[in-house]
Amino acid sequence: MGELSERDRRWAAVMEAARDLAPVFERRSLEHYDEGGFAAENIADLVAAGVTAINVPAALGGIEATLAENVELLKTVAAGCGSTAFALSIHTVITASLRDQTGGPWHEKLMRAVADGAFVIGPFTDESSGSNWTRPSTTARRDGDGFVLDGLKHFATGFDAATHLIVTAAVADGILEPPFDLSAFVVETAAAGDGLRVERPWRGGALTMTGSHSLRLDGLRVDGDAQLFPDGLAPLFVMSRQQWGHYCFAAVFLGLAERAYELAVETTKGRSNTAVRDVGRLPGVQFAIARMRARLATMNALLTAYATEHVEPGEDLLGFVADTCVPKYFVTAEAEAVVSAAFEVIGGSAIRDGSRIAQIWRDVKAGPLLPFTADQAREFIGKQAFGISPIETPRWM
Amino acid sequence: MGELSERDRRWAAVMEAARDLAPVFERRSLEHYDEGGFAAENIADLVAAGVTAINVPAALGGIEATLAENVELLKTVAAGCGSTAFALSIHTVITASLRDQTGGPWHEKLMRAVADGAFVIGPFTDESSGSNWTRPSTTARRDGDGFVLDGLKHFATGFDAATHLIVTAAVADGILEPPFDLSAFVVETAAAGDGLRVERPWRGGALTMTGSHSLRLDGLRVDGDAQLFPDGLAPLFVMSRQQWGHYCFAAVFLGLAERAYELAVETTKGRSNTAVRDVGRLPGVQFAIARMRARLATMNALLTAYATEHVEPGEDLLGFVADTCVPKYFVTAEAEAVVSAAFEVIGGSAIRDGSRIAQIWRDVKAGPLLPFTADQAREFIGKQAFGISPIETPRWM
Amino acid sequence: MAERRDYVALATELAQKFAERADAHDVDGTFPHENLADLVNTGYSAMTVPAEHGGGGATLEELCKAQQILAGGCASTAFAINMHIHGLAMLAAVAGDQCAWAYRKVVDEGAVIAGGFSEPGVGGNWWHPGTVATPVPGGYRLTGRKSFFTGYPGASLLFLSAVRPDERGVPQPLAFLVPKPEEGVTVSAEWDAAGMRATGSHSLSIDGMFAGDEHLVGGVGNLPLLFMSGVHWAWCSFASVFVGIARAALDHVVAVQRERRLNVLDRTVAHLPGVQFAVADMVTKVAAAEAHLYAAVRADHGNPDPLAHYIDMSLMKTSVCSLAHEVVTLALRVQGGSGLLRKSPLQRFYRDAAAGLLVPPGLDTTYEWAGKQALDIPIFEEPRWAS
Amino acid sequence: MAERRDYVALATELAQKFAERADAHDVDGTFPHENLADLVNTGYSAMTVPAEHGGGGATLEELCKAQQILAGGCASTAFAINMHIHGLAMLAAVAGDQCAWAYRKVVDEGAVIAGGFSEPGVGGNWWHPGTVATPVPGGYRLTGRKSFFTGYPGASLLFLSAVRPDERGVPQPLAFLVPKPEEGVTVSAEWDAAGMRATGSHSLSIDGMFAGDEHLVGGVGNLPLLFMSGVHWAWCSFASVFVGIARAALDHVVAVQRERRLNVLDRTVAHLPGVQFAVADMVTKVAAAEAHLYAAVRADHGNPDPLAHYIDMSLMKTSVCSLAHEVVTLALRVQGGSGLLRKSPLQRFYRDAAAGLLVPPGLDTTYEWAGKQALDIPIFEEPRWAS
């Protein structure tokens, strides 16, 4: 009882901090969304509140938050700022995914750094890769004990606050075929020097404050120790952690949709105009609010069910990956519908005001575009239902 | 044949000019969308090309474009820039609506001014009016031969280029009950002086370049001649011209959706990535493109049918108003769905690039919010189907 | 004391049997008496009788999982027995030992309950029954009409609502559980509908039917409150039936397309991307519907605000049944024209799932209440909307 | 030379009559022979025979408007005669005087055509028939199977597809219009489906049926091209039937709710906002469906690219039929549970409209072709998709 409740107490404190920070982030979003830039102040606040350390293993004194807890946290942060929540999700997905990979030379070092406030990110979209992370255009050339990395990585979300990057690359020695030539490396940003630079600063149409720059890796040298997994195992590792990415991404967009709903309710309560004494008494508004409630309840139920019951990969890894697509696909599409409806309840004045709902409208569209995209998800889920391997070729007729 | 073909030749020239300008506007949009401001250069180009003069009556030497032609033109302009098309739509709706109101002292003067390049706008959303244009909070106080106007008007779309404003106000003499106390006035911006000022400059979440400022009318004096209609007739006039507003607004959002579709096709053709040699050969992409085509075909058919066959108000004015809601309601909702699908075909890179599709995504959400909003439309259409007057009270149970 | 049964396993067994009979009952619109007999003989019908009264004491989750599977075999049978099964659970929750006599009849004699809260002219507003209960010595005489009295042909007990005006003339809704009487109630119209055809959901004419004081459930006037407090039994079990149809449609479509070949294809139809995508949408919607249903099943049902509880459960039912309907429509699309043929169960699923959109709670009232509640607008205030 | 008829007025008159018979034929799954007789006797069935051959020479717009109205009365009858009416127009367009003998039979003897282009194992790919036409002296012997042969029970002429391998073994699709023969064709399965039950869309077994050389329509191998060029007659008329169902559902719902009262309301149900909003959605979707249909009807049908024309018409059919299906589903929602009862036509509309999603052209192929065309990807290239 004693140890458990201590751990739960720490978790409750993290959640309380997140809940307190959300309105702070929202105020900052209202001020800074349009100019973009990175929500560095927000990340600093999260680090200070211990939020970024939630996935440190219990063995190292951490909370070792469950996947369901990560989801809950990200929803809470997203209510304040989609950019911040999305940047945080990259960090939580990486740290949670790596926390049980004990044995590697980097493991304890990285986890202790996270406990001490490190912020770890990973840009997994390579130039020309079409969001197929298994086929990076970035290369890793063996060079003595280490590797030399070259490539262009997009969407380096959170880079401005990052202490560490996880970088994927194809090992260019011709020994393993794609996707097994995929490898992953830890890069300490402070030590990267000239081999790592911002090629094009982020100027996003959505999630404007994520600082998701395009990064140039230009002869960046890393030690052999920086290789996270033995040759050939990186793809399997990533697949067996797909639940973290899919559920945590979904959580961000569900959090945005929940906030959109709240904004619709808050804006409507007590609102009047020259024609209607109490806008909340309009049936169209009531029905729209109710439909949003129903949709949010379904989304929450689905994501919670997956984050608690669909967590262990089991024997059929590709089947598991397909299964993890379900809540990501459903929630990101439904989130868009809820935000759209909330915008209509709030009405045209929201366009005028540089309002929060207009920001959420922009952010929410990123949901279905993040991997797995809706099309990838439908292919995996559909093939899995028929017992057809999603990596079998030819893919169709 | 002679006169008709001369008129048709002029119309063809206007359309050609609009088609030529659309890509120019799109380039400017890519540069200026985020900073906002007003697409004044675009409006100047439209004036120079004679586009703004299309609704000048034939009797005064104008083209006197049909409603269907106005729709076609606005779609074309919207393909280049939603803000410009929307500002233009306000002007075309006003000029078309007023062109057959011969007899008023202002009529010929205003129409000749339009032929010479005048740009006429009308901010019809008053503070606290909840987009119910029949219940303005702006007041007109009789003052000798004229009126003194006071109020706060939002969404003065196109104000920076406007030579004339049409301003609605409730005549504050207690003689007529709402909505028959509504009156409309012409204001020449150059002569308005201190009584008219920008209270809050536009900083919109969508249609960023429309310059849809909030305007303060502060003891603004206008002549009695400036009153467009005899007391009590303004509401009937506006209702009998509702087709212009509804179809022209719908045209803007249909034009945006068509452009989104084109962008999806253009982006996909010849596109490849590390995993797929030809992205267009992905079935999910093909199906999405086809669904968009089908939806656009329906939207176009509906709007065209209404713009050609549902143009005359007839006896039942409220029934007519309800009927004109149909394409506006359908097209603005469907446009959103098409743009969303196009965005997904183009993919995440569109978020990175400050791309046109991300701008269209923001603009398209204005569609359902413009009057009649989706809820107003459903109320009018539904009541009309049952033979229930939409202005009967109590509105429901 | 009956031993604890695995009702899900039992449902799986029975569903297979009922599936073979489903087409015939559907086509003829006959009531599946033999299925009901199986449900009684196997103890399925005693599932929700409290354990201390010799029943299975099944939880809501057991009930819903079993009913979902049963509905995959024959949705009509599942829906017909659902009135009995969830009704018993509600009675146990709200009336407790007051209904001990009925539990005994269920356990010992295989009695089956049919329930009737719908009436013509009431339009889903079940809390405003029009059937009048007039006090007479020893009980009441009931007069009125009932519609959609699901399960009537197989019932030996009737669970129904009525209204009794109090001394001020204010109608007090109340509920009775009575042995099906010899007289005073007649079938005014036999059930003949496009979906759920084998449920025997007849319309009844109630003409002076006697109900004894001992058959009153709960007190006079508190029917709405009792029903709202126990509504999770009703709406969750309703939803489970329609989710069951959806999952059966998905399973059927997957099984068929895996084997289906066309002359023009070198592989099975399952390899067509359009088929895969539609099935993915079906998988996803079924997952979402099940997740929402079971979240509601496992929610805290001790909500101190019965109306809030009622609204949450009602929203769940509308979402789940709407998703289920989308799934069966997709199933038809995947299968194509042959799915419309009598020999395909898909067309029955399509017709049965439509009932999910139509059974209580009504969509518009659910949305009205949920919207008002969220916006802090008193739900029963008049006028109902802006004037 | 027949005088020019107002087929829309005639359809309005007949629709009323057929509406009264619709329920019985639907329930029993019988073929509406008496309706067919009315259609023949009133000259409706000669609508699309060219005027110079004594027929009505109706335009596509007249045809669609008339069929839309007829379908509102009895969709099965409208769909059964649709194969005849649009088939004649297509024959006139693609084969002209070659079919003069058939026009005479239609005008003088009241002959009716049924058409069969669907086959088991073909899955909507009508341009790949599996029925084999083997040349014999004076004509061909046909062997194969046909499904969904709509209107068969009332037909005296059969319009059907087959394939003849050429000298290189390449299958050449071709079409025949033949008097229904005494032998060589049998009904292998009578039509028994959930929707469009009175269309007699039987499955046929064709065993050595003789078709004379003079019964060949167009040339050998050019069936696909001919069909694509004239496809507006097919897909527009199909769509008109389903739009007709949707409009009938809307009209019915409006008429009923205007008069409908509930005990708990002081005005008719039409005053409920939820009902108004749902009806507004129905009105809007019907308007959109009609607009798309009639835009396709009035489009330039002389497209020099038959495939492009085929795709445009196919996209129209998918959109229109999908909207029609949404409308009938909304109609059920507005009416509630009573809409599912046999006595309500809404449940028949709901079942009949499902067929609109399933009749050719298939959704996935339409989307595949339309997408590929827009993206400049050769439509028939193999492999069909990215490998």
Side-chain angles (χ1 to χ4, degrees):
Chain A
M1 218 20 217
E3 191 153 18
L4 181 71
S5 70
E6 163 62 13
R7 185 263 180 209
D8 285 357
R9 194 195 53 71
R10 286 170 65 195
W11 175 249
V14 164
M15 279 303 297
E16 196 184 335
R19 273 190 293 270
D20 290 346
L21 284 170
V24 177
F25 295 170
E26 186 163 68
R27 279 198 298 279
R28 291 179 190 155
S29 179
L30 284 166
E31 282 167 37
H32 301 296
Y33 189 97
D34 282 336
E35 78 210 35
F38 178 65
E41 197 178 351
N42 294 357
I43 297 292
D45 286 346
L46 291 169
V47 169
V51 171
T52 53
I54 59 167
N55 290 319
V56 171
L60 298 178
I63 293 176
E64 198 172 312
T66 65
L67 183 38
E69 287 170 336
N70 273 265
V71 161
E72 202 53 36
L73 174 75
L74 289 164
K75 274 168 48 183
T76 305
V77 175
C81 172
S83 291
T84 304
F86 183 58
L88 176 63
S89 78
I90 302 286
H91 167 86
T92 62
V93 167
I94 292 174
T95 53
S97 296
L98 294 174
R99 72 185 177 197
D100 56 358
Q101 294 302 297
T102 51
W106 43 269
H107 178 263
E108 187 170 335
K109 190 173 150 196
L110 186 66
M111 287 296 142
R112 288 207 186 277
V114 170
D116 293 341
F119 191 68
V120 187
I121 67 148
F124 299 122
T125 305
D126 278 32
E127 174 70 11
S128 307
S129 78
S131 79
N132 288 276
W133 57 265
T134 60
R135 305 283 180 96
S137 56
T138 299
T139 56
R141 186 166 42 80
R142 288 189 204 277
D143 179 36
D145 283 353
F147 295 86
V148 174
L149 308 176
D150 286 282
L152 179 59
K153 298 243 169 218
H154 302 296
F155 300 111
T157 296
F159 180 72
D160 298 341
T163 54
H164 299 73
L165 301 187
I166 307 299
V167 170
T168 53
V171 177
D173 56 11
I175 295 175
L176 293 168
E177 287 290 303
F180 299 104
D181 61 345
L182 182 80
S183 211
F185 304 90
V186 184
V187 175
E188 289 180 87
T189 48
D194 291 345
L196 178 67
R197 62 170 189 273
V198 172
E199 170 105 359
R200 189 167 51 180
W202 177 244
R203 186 115 188 87
L207 300 170
T208 58
M209 298 181 293
T210 50
S212 302
H213 313 311
S214 295
L215 298 185
R216 174 65 66 182
L217 280 59
D218 189 3
L220 175 66
R221 200 177 186 292
V222 293
D223 289 345
D225 273 4
Q227 190 180 15
L228 283 173
F229 315 104
D231 285 340
L233 293 187
L236 297 177
F237 174 79
V238 177
M239 286 197 289
S240 69
R241 298 300 182 281
Q242 201 67 54
Q243 69 281 37
W244 284 91
H246 281 164
Y247 307 164
C248 288
F249 287 179
V252 171
F253 296 92
L254 177 49
L256 287 170
E258 287 184 329
R259 183 62 188 141
Y261 165 78
E262 287 170 8
L263 288 164
V265 170
E266 287 169 14
T267 309
T268 303
K269 277 186 190 171
R271 191 184 204 182
S272 66
N273 62 45
T274 50
V276 182
R277 193 174 46 83
D278 182 352
V279 171
R281 288 179 191 267
L282 290 172
V285 169
Q286 293 167 6
F287 294 175
I289 294 283
R291 256 194 302 271
M292 285 185 251
R293 278 184 72 173
R295 295 183 108 132
L296 287 170
T298 305
M299 292 152 75
N300 264 311
L302 182 65
L303 186 54
T304 302
Y306 270 74
T308 49
E309 295 160 25
H310 299 240
V311 174
E312 292 305 321
E315 292 294 296
D316 175 7
L317 194 48
L318 284 165
F320 177 69
V321 171
D323 189 38
T324 67
C325 293
V326 167
K328 197 272 172 185
Y329 173 45
F330 185 83
V331 167
T332 55
E334 287 287 294
E336 191 176 313
V338 167
V339 174
S340 176
F343 208 146
E344 293 188 30
V345 167
I346 295 171
S349 61
I351 288 186
R352 193 177 73 219
D353 294 340
S355 64
R356 183 85 188 103
I357 188 70
Q359 297 175 353
I360 294 176
W361 173 248
R362 292 168 66 178
D363 287 352
V364 80
K365 189 66 228 180
L369 305 176
L370 291 169
F372 281 14
T373 64
D375 277 355
Q376 290 173 313
R378 296 204 301 160
E379 182 180 349
F380 267 64
I381 299 167
K383 287 182 173 174
Q384 166 64 13
F386 287 123
I388 297 170
S389 167
I391 57 171
E392 173 184 300
T393 55
R395 283 165 75 177
W396 295 289
M397 302 270 172
Chain B
M1 218 21 220
E3 192 154 18
L4 181 70
S5 71
E6 162 64 11
R7 185 262 180 212
D8 284 356
R9 194 194 56 71
R10 286 170 66 194
W11 174 250
V14 165
M15 279 303 296
E16 197 185 333
R19 274 190 294 270
D20 290 347
L21 284 170
V24 178
F25 294 171
E26 185 162 68
R27 279 197 298 278
R28 290 179 189 154
S29 179
L30 284 167
E31 283 166 37
H32 301 296
Y33 189 97
D34 282 336
E35 77 210 37
F38 180 64
E41 198 178 351
N42 295 358
I43 296 292
D45 286 345
L46 291 169
V47 169
V51 171
T52 53
I54 60 167
N55 290 320
V56 171
L60 298 179
I63 292 176
E64 198 172 312
T66 65
L67 183 39
E69 286 170 338
N70 273 265
V71 161
E72 202 54 35
L73 175 74
L74 289 165
K75 272 168 50 183
T76 305
V77 175
C81 173
S83 290
T84 304
F86 183 59
L88 177 62
S89 78
I90 303 286
H91 168 86
T92 62
V93 167
I94 292 173
T95 54
S97 297
L98 294 175
R99 72 185 177 196
D100 57 358
Q101 294 300 298
T102 51
W106 43 268
H107 178 263
E108 187 169 335
K109 189 173 153 197
L110 186 66
M111 287 297 142
R112 288 204 185 280
V114 170
D116 292 342
F119 191 68
V120 188
I121 66 149
F124 298 123
T125 305
D126 279 31
E127 174 71 11
S128 307
S129 76
S131 80
N132 288 276
W133 56 264
T134 59
R135 305 284 180 96
S137 56
T138 298
T139 56
R141 184 166 44 79
R142 289 188 202 277
D143 178 36
D145 284 350
F147 295 86
V148 174
L149 309 177
D150 285 282
L152 178 60
K153 298 247 170 215
H154 301 298
F155 300 111
T157 295
F159 181 71
D160 297 341
T163 54
H164 300 73
L165 301 187
I166 307 298
V167 170
T168 53
V171 177
D173 55 11
I175 296 174
L176 293 168
E177 286 290 305
F180 298 105
D181 61 344
L182 182 80
S183 211
F185 305 91
V186 185
V187 174
E188 287 182 88
T189 48
D194 291 346
L196 178 66
R197 62 171 189 274
V198 173
E199 170 105 357
R200 189 167 51 179
W202 178 244
R203 187 115 188 86
L207 300 170
T208 58
M209 297 182 293
T210 50
S212 302
H213 313 312
S214 295
L215 298 184
R216 174 63 66 182
L217 280 61
D218 187 4
L220 176 66
R221 201 179 184 290
V222 293
D223 289 345
D225 274 2
Q227 189 179 17
L228 283 173
F229 315 104
D231 285 341
L233 294 188
L236 297 177
F237 173 80
V238 176
M239 286 196 288
S240 69
R241 297 300 183 281
Q242 201 67 54
Q243 70 280 39
W244 284 91
H246 281 162
Y247 307 165
C248 289
F249 287 179
V252 171
F253 296 91
L254 177 48
L256 287 171
E258 286 184 329
R259 183 62 189 140
Y261 165 77
E262 287 171 7
L263 288 165
V265 170
E266 287 170 13
T267 309
T268 304
K269 278 186 190 171
R271 191 184 205 182
S272 66
N273 61 45
T274 50
V276 183
R277 193 175 46 83
D278 183 351
V279 170
R281 289 179 191 267
L282 290 172
V285 169
Q286 294 167 5
F287 295 176
I289 293 283
R291 257 192 303 270
M292 284 186 250
R293 278 183 71 173
R295 296 182 109 131
L296 287 169
T298 305
M299 291 153 76
N300 264 309
L302 181 65
L303 187 54
T304 302
Y306 270 74
T308 50
E309 295 160 25
H310 299 241
V311 175
E312 292 305 321
E315 294 293 298
D316 175 9
L317 193 49
L318 284 167
F320 177 70
V321 170
D323 189 38
T324 66
C325 293
V326 167
K328 196 275 175 183
Y329 172 45
F330 185 82
V331 168
T332 55
E334 288 286 294
E336 191 175 312
V338 167
V339 174
S340 177
F343 208 146
E344 293 189 29
V345 168
I346 296 171
S349 61
I351 289 186
R352 192 179 73 222
D353 294 341
S355 65
R356 183 83 188 104
I357 189 69
Q359 297 176 352
I360 294 176
W361 172 249
R362 293 168 64 177
D363 287 353
V364 79
K365 189 66 229 182
L369 306 176
L370 290 169
F372 280 15
T373 65
D375 277 355
Q376 289 173 315
R378 296 204 300 161
E379 181 180 349
F380 267 65
I381 298 167
K383 287 182 172 174
Q384 166 65 12
F386 287 122
I388 297 170
S389 167
I391 56 172
E392 173 184 301
T393 56
R395 283 164 76 177
W396 294 289
M397 301 271 172
Chain C
M1 183 87 178
E3 68 177 310
R4 191 106 182 106
R5 291 293 302 270
D6 180 347
Y7 293 104
V8 175
L10 179 55
T12 307
E13 198 181 296
L14 292 171
Q16 223 161 350
K17 206 169 177 182
F18 295 175
E20 288 163 25
R21 302 170 183 160
D23 174 62
H25 284 300
D26 175 60
V27 170
D28 301 334
T30 43
F31 189 78
H33 288 287
E34 75 279 33
N35 293 352
L36 212 65
D38 285 344
L39 292 166
V40 168
N41 295 336
T42 57
Y44 192 93
S45 67
M47 180 197 301
T48 43
V49 170
E52 61 271 29
H53 290 278
T59 63
L60 180 56
E61 183 156 351
E62 288 173 292
L63 185 168
C64 288
K65 287 192 165 157
Q67 283 290 87
Q68 175 174 345
I69 287 167
L70 203 68
C74 176
S76 281
T77 301
F79 203 59
I81 198 68
N82 194 61
M83 298 299 156
H84 167 90
I85 289 182
H86 93 262
L88 278 169
M90 278 183 106
L91 287 169
V94 304
D97 288 350
Q98 200 188 353
C99 296
W101 66 272
Y103 309 147
R104 265 195 311 280
K105 274 183 176 292
V106 170
V107 174
D108 299 343
E109 302 168 26
V112 172
I113 301 173
F117 290 80
S118 293
E119 297 187 0
V122 165
N125 303 292
W126 56 262
W127 55 97
H128 281 308
T131 298
V132 175
T134 308
V136 294
Y140 298 82
R141 290 263 169 219
L142 273 58
T143 305
R145 290 183 301 157
K146 293 285 174 186
S147 47
F148 305 110
F149 212 101
T150 295
Y152 187 78
S156 43
L157 297 170
L158 306 182
F159 185 21
L160 74 179
S161 58
V163 73
R164 171 188 154 176
D166 68 7
E167 50 279 3
R168 297 159 302 169
V170 178
Q172 300 292 329
L174 62 177
F176 296 97
L177 179 69
V178 292
K180 196 184 205 169
E182 293 294 316
E183 55 188 29
V185 54
T186 51
V187 172
S188 56
E190 297 219 347
W191 177 243
D192 186 4
M196 292 290 193
R197 289 178 50 74
T199 53
S201 302
H202 298 336
S203 297
L204 304 184
S205 179
I206 300 177
D207 305 300
M209 182 183 116
F210 179 75
D213 286 327
E214 71 278 22
H215 297 133
L216 188 65
V217 176
V220 172
N222 61 2
L223 164 69
L225 199 67
L226 290 181
F227 185 75
M228 286 187 179
S229 303
V231 74
H232 47 282
W233 291 100
W235 294 174
C236 289
S237 63
F238 279 28
S240 73
V241 169
F242 295 98
V243 169
I245 298 171
R247 182 162 279 285
L250 169 61
D251 291 346
H252 179 85
V253 159
V254 167
V256 171
Q257 314 313 312
R258 279 180 93 139
E259 304 300 326
R260 191 179 186 189
R261 291 186 169 274
L262 299 178
N263 303 340
V264 296
L265 303 179
D266 64 353
R267 267 160 291 174
T268 61
V269 167
H271 287 81
L272 285 169
V275 168
Q276 291 170 2
F277 297 166
V279 164
D281 282 339
M282 293 172 68
V283 167
T284 302
K285 286 173 197 286
V286 168
E290 287 183 350
H292 199 165
L293 167 58
Y294 290 102
V297 163
R298 292 168 202 158
D300 178 7
H301 299 135
N303 193 321
D305 178 353
L307 192 55
H309 178 58
Y310 183 85
I311 289 170
D312 283 342
M313 293 295 136
S314 298
L315 284 174
M316 178 281 295
K317 181 267 170 185
T318 62
S319 279
V320 168
C321 290
S322 182
L323 286 163
H325 183 258
E326 291 169 26
V327 170
V328 296
T329 305
L330 279 167
L332 272 188
R333 286 217 191 229
V334 171
Q335 181 66 41
S338 52
L340 212 57
L341 297 177
R342 173 178 163 180
K343 66 185 177 196
S344 170
L346 292 179
Q347 50 83 20
R348 190 176 75 246
F349 297 155
Y350 175 71
R351 291 180 287 109
D352 287 348
L357 305 177
L358 309 177
V359 297
L363 185 73
D364 289 347
T365 306
T366 298
Y367 281 176
E368 178 188 351
W369 291 11
K372 287 179 174 175
Q373 187 204 35
L375 294 165
D376 292 338
I377 291 171
I379 286 176
F380 297 109
E381 200 171 87
E382 301 270 347
R384 281 164 73 178
W385 290 290
S387 49
Chain D
M1 182 88 178
E3 68 177 311
R4 190 109 184 105
R5 292 293 302 268
D6 180 346
Y7 293 103
V8 175
L10 179 54
T12 307
E13 199 179 294
L14 292 171
Q16 223 160 351
K17 208 167 172 182
F18 296 175
E20 289 163 24
R21 302 169 183 161
D23 174 60
H25 284 301
D26 174 61
V27 170
D28 300 335
T30 44
F31 189 77
H33 287 287
E34 74 280 32
N35 292 353
L36 212 64
D38 286 344
L39 292 166
V40 169
N41 294 336
T42 56
Y44 192 93
S45 67
M47 179 197 300
T48 43
V49 171
E52 60 272 29
H53 290 278
T59 62
L60 180 57
E61 183 155 353
E62 289 172 290
L63 185 169
C64 288
K65 287 192 165 155
Q67 283 290 87
Q68 176 175 344
I69 288 167
L70 203 67
C74 176
S76 281
T77 301
F79 202 60
I81 198 69
N82 194 61
M83 298 299 157
H84 167 90
I85 288 182
H86 94 262
L88 278 169
M90 277 183 107
L91 288 169
V94 304
D97 289 350
Q98 201 189 352
C99 295
W101 65 273
Y103 308 148
R104 264 194 312 279
K105 274 184 176 292
V106 172
V107 173
D108 298 343
E109 302 167 27
V112 173
I113 301 172
F117 291 80
S118 294
E119 297 188 3
V122 166
N125 305 291
W126 56 262
W127 55 97
H128 280 308
T131 298
V132 175
T134 308
V136 294
Y140 298 83
R141 291 263 168 218
L142 273 57
T143 306
R145 291 183 298 158
K146 293 286 174 186
S147 48
F148 305 109
F149 213 103
T150 296
Y152 187 79
S156 45
L157 298 170
L158 305 183
F159 184 22
L160 74 180
S161 59
V163 74
R164 171 188 152 177
D166 68 7
E167 51 279 3
R168 297 159 301 169
V170 178
Q172 300 292 330
L174 62 175
F176 296 96
L177 180 68
V178 293
K180 195 184 209 171
E182 293 295 315
E183 53 189 30
V185 53
T186 50
V187 172
S188 56
E190 297 219 346
W191 177 244
D192 186 4
M196 290 292 193
R197 289 177 49 74
T199 54
S201 302
H202 298 336
S203 297
L204 304 183
S205 178
I206 300 178
D207 305 300
M209 182 182 118
F210 179 76
D213 285 328
E214 70 278 20
H215 297 135
L216 188 64
V217 176
V220 172
N222 60 2
L223 164 69
L225 201 68
L226 290 181
F227 185 74
M228 286 187 178
S229 303
V231 73
H232 45 284
W233 292 101
W235 295 174
C236 289
S237 63
F238 279 28
S240 73
V241 169
F242 295 98
V243 169
I245 298 171
R247 181 162 279 288
L250 169 60
D251 291 346
H252 179 84
V253 159
V254 167
V256 171
Q257 315 314 312
R258 279 181 92 139
E259 304 300 326
R260 191 180 187 188
R261 291 185 170 275
L262 299 179
N263 303 341
V264 295
L265 303 179
D266 62 354
R267 268 160 290 175
T268 62
V269 167
H271 287 81
L272 285 169
V275 168
Q276 292 171 2
F277 297 166
V279 165
D281 282 338
M282 293 172 68
V283 167
T284 302
K285 286 172 196 287
V286 168
E290 287 183 350
H292 199 165
L293 167 59
Y294 290 101
V297 163
R298 292 168 202 157
D300 179 7
H301 299 134
N303 193 320
D305 178 354
L307 192 54
H309 178 58
Y310 183 85
I311 289 170
D312 283 342
M313 292 295 135
S314 298
L315 283 174
M316 178 280 296
K317 180 266 169 186
T318 61
S319 279
V320 168
C321 291
S322 181
L323 285 163
H325 183 258
E326 291 169 24
V327 169
V328 297
T329 305
L330 279 167
L332 272 188
R333 285 218 191 229
V334 171
Q335 182 64 42
S338 52
L340 212 57
L341 298 178
R342 172 177 164 180
K343 66 187 176 195
S344 170
L346 292 179
Q347 49 83 19
R348 190 175 75 247
F349 297 154
Y350 174 72
R351 291 180 288 108
D352 287 348
L357 305 177
L358 310 177
V359 298
L363 185 73
D364 288 347
T365 306
T366 299
Y367 280 176
E368 178 189 350
W369 292 12
K372 287 180 174 175
Q373 187 204 38
L375 294 165
D376 293 337
I377 290 171
I379 287 175
F380 297 109
E381 201 171 87
E382 302 270 347
R384 282 164 74 179
W385 291 289
S387 50

